[in-house]
Structures are given as C-alpha cells and as structure tokens.
C-alpha cells in the first residue's frame, strides 16, 4: 500500500499512462518520474471510526479525479519547495485521470474490463492534521463531502503491460477468468486502519461477480509490508521476475502473487 501500494511501478510501480504495476503503481510510457518506495509507515494513524470507511466501485468522474490525485500523492516523491510544484502535481493527476477514465470506460485495448475500487471517508472524520489529504482528494457524492483514502484497479485481462503474466487459468477461459490488481495505495495518514485489507476483500467480491477464478498482483521483492498484506488476503507466490528483466527495465525485481477465487 504505498504503504502499501500496487501498479504501473517501483519498490513497486505505477504507470501513469498505461504501464501497469508492481505493487500497484504506474509509470508513464513516455517518461518516468521518481516513485516513492512502498514501505510500512511509522506515521501515527489518526483515530477514526472504521465503520465510516466506505469501500465501493467508483461511479462518478469527481471520485475518479480524487482517486487520481491520491495516486499522484502516494506514488511520486516531489520536493514541496520545488518551483511550480502544484502545477506539476496537477499535470500528473490529469494524465492519470484521463488514463483511468479510458481504462474504466473499456476503451483501453487489451483490457476486457476495469473497475476502480476506492476507500472513502466523510470529510468530517479527518482531522486538521490531514489537511493536505483532504484538499487534494476530496469530492462530493451529492450528499456529503468525502475523501478518497485508498484506491486500486481491478483489471480483467490476460496480462498487464511490462509485467510477468499469470499462468492460470489455462485455455479459452483466460480472456474472462483472469484478473490483476494494480495501483493499490492507501494514504499515509490512514495506514494501520485496515484500509488496504478492505480494498482487496471488496475487489475479490467484484471479481467473483465478473466470473474471475484467478487473481494476481505484482509486488516488489523488498516490499515486506505489501507482501504481508497480500498473504493475509490469501495470495501466494507463483513466480518471480527474472533479474535480467528487472535490470533491463531499471526497476526493483518483482514477484507475481496468485489467489484462487472459489466459484459459487
């Protein structure tokens, strides 16, 4: 989750345009930028009412925008004192937003279906210490102001670009029965509140509705926090990226984790 995070790319990765990920990030196909390593946070988690956390598929563009802003905030290490830093953040968020809309709307070639699953909290639940998160990732659901505090993509496809492909299931069903998680992230202010676990459990439910039998996620070898989370959710290692490939792509080596979803 960047604590824990997941696709297009480092210590995991994230792809802002279409490069899928590793711990759930992304990295642009046209350029690369520095990504913050995904590691367990030592920030004291705020006291919140966990029952107020809502996990659901995104239904509005306003919420998609808030999710894009959270991903930029999570996956990119930007110097706050840099010139025009806010303009650069908005530029990255706009790119992520457009790419996310394209995938969710079914316009991205190679993806059968994509859903953006978010964890949100009422704005009133977050303290003044989370002012930056609230201003960057706030949206209105028509009833109240909420803040996206966690996000991931569920991708129904054969493989993610530049990533190790899963091997299950085999045969004709691979086009509709395999899925990958990507861009998994949780706001650092909400680490250790079970947000990542809730996101993954929700995505498992959505995947079952789609008829998915095998779910995958990529995680960097050194991302112990993310590996513990995925193992807790039932994933197990299927394969590892060859070291030469990681060197060629100039990124940390990744593992491919697999989860079998029982059919009802």
């Amino acid at each position: 989750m960047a604590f824990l995070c997941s696709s297009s790319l480092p210590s995991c990765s994230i792809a802002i345009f279409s490069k899928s990920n590793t711990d759930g990030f992304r990295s642009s196909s046209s350029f690369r930028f520095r990504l913050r390593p995904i590691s367990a946070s030592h920030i004291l988690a705020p006291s919140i009412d966990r029952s107020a956390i809502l996990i659901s598929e995104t239904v509005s563009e306003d919420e998609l925008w808030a999710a894009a802003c959270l991903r930029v905030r999570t996956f990119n290490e930007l110097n706050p004192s840099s010139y025009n830093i806010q303009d650069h953040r908005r530029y990255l968020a706009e790119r992520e937003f457009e790419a996310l809309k394209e995938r969710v709307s079914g316009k991205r070639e190679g993806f059968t279906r994509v859903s953006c699953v978010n964890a949100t909290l009422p704005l009133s639940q977050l303290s003044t210490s989370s002012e930056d998160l609230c201003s960057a990732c706030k949206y209105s659901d028509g009833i109240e102001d909420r803040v996206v505090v966690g996000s991931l993509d569920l991708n129904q496809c054969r493989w993610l670009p530049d990533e190790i492909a899963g091997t299950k299931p085999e045969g004709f069903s691979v086009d509709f029965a395999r899925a990958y998680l990507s861009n998994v992230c949780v706001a650092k202010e909400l680490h250790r509140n079970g947000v990542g676990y809730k996101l993954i459990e929700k995505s498992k439910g959505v995947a079952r509705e789609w008829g998915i039998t095998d779910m995958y996620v990529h995680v960097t070898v050194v991302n112990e926090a993310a590996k513990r989370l995925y193992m807790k959710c039932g994933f197990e290692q299927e394969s590892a990226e060859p070291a030469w490939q990681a060197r060629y792509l100039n990124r940390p080596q990744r593992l491919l984790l697999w989860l079998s979803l029982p059919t009802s």
Side-chain angles (χ1 to χ4, degrees), residues 6-7 52 57 62 80 89 92 96 109 116 122 136 170 195 219-220:
S6 225
S7 196
E57 295 181 80
D62 284 347
R89 281 177 175 164
L92 294 177
E96 172 63 15
E109 185 178 354
C116 175
E170 299 177 345
V195 177
V219 60
T220 54

Side-chain angles (χ1 to χ4, degrees), residues 112-138:
T112 303
R113 194 184 319 187
V114 177
S115 178
C116 175
V117 179
N118 290 330
T120 67
L121 271 173
L123 180 63
S124 59
Q125 278 284 318
L126 294 167
S127 66
T128 54
S129 63
S130 304
E131 181 178 352
D132 178 68
L133 171 66
C134 294
S135 62
C137 306
K138 181 180 71 172

Side-chain angles (χ1 to χ4, degrees), residues 15 67 93 104 107 120 128 166-167 169 179 192 199 241:
V104 170
K107 297 178 180 178
T120 67
T128 54
T167 61
R192 305 181 189 282
L199 281 169
E241 179 181 40

